[in-house]
Amino acid sequence: AREGLLPLRFSAQPSLVAMGGAWAGRSAEVRLPVGLSKENPLEGMIGRLHIPHTHDVANAWLPGFPASIRIQPPAAPSSGFKAVLRTPIFVPSKGRPAAALLDWTDAMIGWEYLQIVVVKSEELQSYMAHWPGHIFFELPPQASELGIGAARFVTLFLAAQMV
């Protein structure tokens, strides 16, 4: 683990997720041992990373999933791509699954990239129904109560652990 960051712990077995028949993939619990003190309400929260079976980039970049979420981007772009964006793109979204602008394929023409949509746990099923081919990070339920700052903090911690 990097200096100052604690290693993440994962569930021992992958779980098969199928919601509404539209989304099918693998999930892993991500324990977030974050916080500056024992009194910090963020410490010990558990989020979930959900990756659809059909996501070729995620399956290539996360070969150890669900036991590990450390990304391993390719040294050279896969066929059909000109370049590799070596860090994941985290896209927070709230309350707009049908209207969210989450399809970045036209904006990222030629780039191989990993996009992770960050959503509240109570909105996950709606987003999965509208965007079945996307990767989702489900924020811990406590993050909803603590506001946008907690969601950003958890996402930054997750990002640091993935790269």
Side-chain angles (χ1 to χ4, degrees):
R2 290 195 180 126
E3 185 71 30
L5 295 177
L6 300 172
L8 295 176
R9 296 172 190 88
F10 302 91
S11 58
Q13 298 294 323
S15 58
L16 184 62
V17 178
M19 296 184 178
W23 194 95
R26 299 172 292 160
S27 299
E29 283 187 353
V30 180
R31 186 172 305 278
L32 302 163
V34 297
L36 302 175
S37 68
K38 291 291 181 189
E39 295 81 30
N40 192 322
L42 293 174
E43 195 159 357
M45 286 202 278
I46 298 174
R48 293 188 68 81
L49 188 63
H50 303 274
I51 299 178
H53 290 308
T54 58
H55 202 293
D56 295 334
V57 172
N59 291 327
W61 286 36
L62 292 159
F65 188 81
S68 169
I69 61 166
R70 175 97 38 211
I71 62 167
Q72 296 176 13
S78 302
S79 65
F81 295 105
K82 297 177 190 169
V84 176
L85 184 61
R86 301 185 61 77
T87 58
I89 300 170
F90 291 89
V91 182
S93 191
K94 176 185 177 285
R96 55 193 173 114
L101 302 174
L102 300 178
D103 184 358
W104 290 21
T105 52
D106 288 342
M108 300 295 288
I109 291 175
W111 286 89
E112 184 173 357
Y113 65 98
L114 190 66
Q115 176 185 355
I116 300 169
V117 181
V118 180
V119 298
K120 291 183 173 186
S121 58
E122 60 268 17
E123 296 181 346
L124 178 66
Q125 291 184 8
S126 295
Y127 274 89
M128 286 179 159
H130 283 90
W131 301 96
H134 280 58
I135 301 170
F136 292 96
F137 179 69
E138 174 186 358
L139 289 166
Q142 301 95 317
S144 295
E145 301 163 9
L146 295 173
I148 189 66
R152 288 178 179 155
F153 186 74
V154 168
T155 303
L156 284 171
F157 186 82
L158 176 68
Q161 294 298 314
M162 290 185 79
V163 295

